[in-house]
């Protein structure tokens, strides 16, 4: 069978772009042969101690992957809202005083979930654990194969977002904070979600699942949903780092949206518009009041959680996300361009 190869626009491969602004007043792929292991059956049950890892994992939230969404709904209740996505699934959003959780639901089945909340049970993974303990348990592989798919991770992928198997059909993408060397977010996926999102460079054979580009009215709804998610994840991160939450600011959001649109339509990536206007001028144009302001921009990330962790691992953007002086935030998303405008009032 003839192989196809694609280089996916992923976190790094086709130049994901990040920028922060602040001011105050190989060769052809080889054929993969899949081997089936002979099943092994024991007719006697094994009794595990209560603290055995398999017992502990029974309550882990990732166990709901591949199950009907009603199974988790009966445990944690109804979501605060349901957000559409670019990938033909809906994000069920749970945002309360105990945790922030996004559950990807397609045809009533849970195919992925994301959280950066330490209070959720992801055992054997623990949000907040250090990289050394992760490496003691897992080997971070440069390649991962799933049926007709083979993903290749770059050096930066391995440092910032390695992927591990939790079970035969369930995977966890680990978001590492390179400044603290701690696990600060987890995205759990099944094979279908991996194929749809294509988070790394991808080699494949046969047919590949693709998603249709949403129509304008649907795209607008999706972009508004991503803006909310970026705002909420930012505040969840700030709470982990013991910082005050930010308040949504409509003027900052309007300026952010205008800048994302302008970058797409005029084909540039910069804090300065083609006419020379910067953040100061954009905020002035929407009558925003502030004492201090800053801006993060990014492009070509797959979704809100991905771009947040990209910013967190970039020194200037991290400074904005975690700056004590900021009190308000507005977010503007257009297509695959993202802008955050921070204000201190």
């Amino acid at each position: 069978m003839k192989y196809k190869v694609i280089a996916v626009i992923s976190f790094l491969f086709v130049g994901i772009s990040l920028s922060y602004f602040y001011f105050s007043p190989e060769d052809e792929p080889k054929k993969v042969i899949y081997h089936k292991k002979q099943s092994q059956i024991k007719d006697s049950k094994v009794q595990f101690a209560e603290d055995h890892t398999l017992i502990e994992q029974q309550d882990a939230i990732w166990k709901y992957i591949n199950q009907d969404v009603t199974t988790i709904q009966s445990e944690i209740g109804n979501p605060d809202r349901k957000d559409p996505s670019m990938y033909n699934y809906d994000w069920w959003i749970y945002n309360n005083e105990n945790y922030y959780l996004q559950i990807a639901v397609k045809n009533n089945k849970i195919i992925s979930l994301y959280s950066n909340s330490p209070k959720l049970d992801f055992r054997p993974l623990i949000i907040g654990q250090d990289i050394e303990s992760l490496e003691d348990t897992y080997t971070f592989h440069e390649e991962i194969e799933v049926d007709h798919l083979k993903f290749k991770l770059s050096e930066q992928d391995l440092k910032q977002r390695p992927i591990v198997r939790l079970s035969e059909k369930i995977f966890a993408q680990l978001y590492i904070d390179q400044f603290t060397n701690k696990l600060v977010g987890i995205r759990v996926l099944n094979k279908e979600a991996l194929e749809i999102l294509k988070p790394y460079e991808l080699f494949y054979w046969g047919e590949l699942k693709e998603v249709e580009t949403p129509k304008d009215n649907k795209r607008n709804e999706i972009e508004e949903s991503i803006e909310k998610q970026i705002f909420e994840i930012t505040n969840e991160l700030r709470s982990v780092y013991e910082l005050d939450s930010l308040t949504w600011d409509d003027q900052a959001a309007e300026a952010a949206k205008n800048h994302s649109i302008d970058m797409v339509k005029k084909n540039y990536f910069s804090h300065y518009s083609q006419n020379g206007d910067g953040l100061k001028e954009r905020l002035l144009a929407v009558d925003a009041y502030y004492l201090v302001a800053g801006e993060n921009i990014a492009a070509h990330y797959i979704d809100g959680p991905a771009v947040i962790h990209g910013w967190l691992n970039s020194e200037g953007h991290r400074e904005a996300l975690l700056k004590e002086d900021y009190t308000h935030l507005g977010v503007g998303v257009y297509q695959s361009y993202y802008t955050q405008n921070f204000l201190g009032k």
Side-chain angles (χ1 to χ4, degrees), residues 33-40 147 168:
I33 300 175
Y34 300 92
H35 300 280
K36 291 185 177 179
K37 293 184 179 180
Q38 184 177 359
S39 299
Q40 295 181 345
D147 295 340
E168 183 181 355

Side-chain angles (χ1 to χ4, degrees), residues 47-112:
Q47 184 70 40
F48 291 114
E50 289 185 2
D51 62 349
H52 190 282
T53 180
L54 294 179
I55 298 296
E56 290 181 342
Q57 291 174 27
Q58 287 181 353
D59 295 325
I61 197 164
W62 58 266
K63 290 290 187 178
Y64 291 105
I65 296 290
N66 293 321
Q67 294 189 28
D68 190 280
V69 70
T70 56
T71 59
I72 195 169
Q73 193 174 13
S74 65
E75 293 292 328
I76 65 175
N78 294 322
D80 294 285
R81 68 176 189 273
K82 297 177 183 179
D83 289 350
S85 78
M86 296 289 290
Y87 304 101
N88 294 333
Y89 56 71
D90 289 331
W91 280 118
W92 286 30
I93 307 295
Y94 292 82
N95 186 17
N96 55 57
E97 60 183 11
N98 294 316
Y99 58 81
Y100 177 84
L101 174 65
Q102 294 187 201
I103 301 175
V105 180
K106 185 175 182 181
N107 298 327
N108 292 320
K109 185 176 79 170
I110 299 172
I111 65 170
S112 181

Side-chain angles (χ1 to χ4, degrees), residues 223-238:
E223 289 167 354
E224 289 177 3
S225 296
I226 297 172
E227 291 164 359
K228 293 177 186 176
Q229 293 162 24
I230 289 175
F231 173 75
E232 292 168 344
I233 297 170
T234 298
N235 275 333
E236 182 67 24
L237 273 178
R238 287 176 66 90

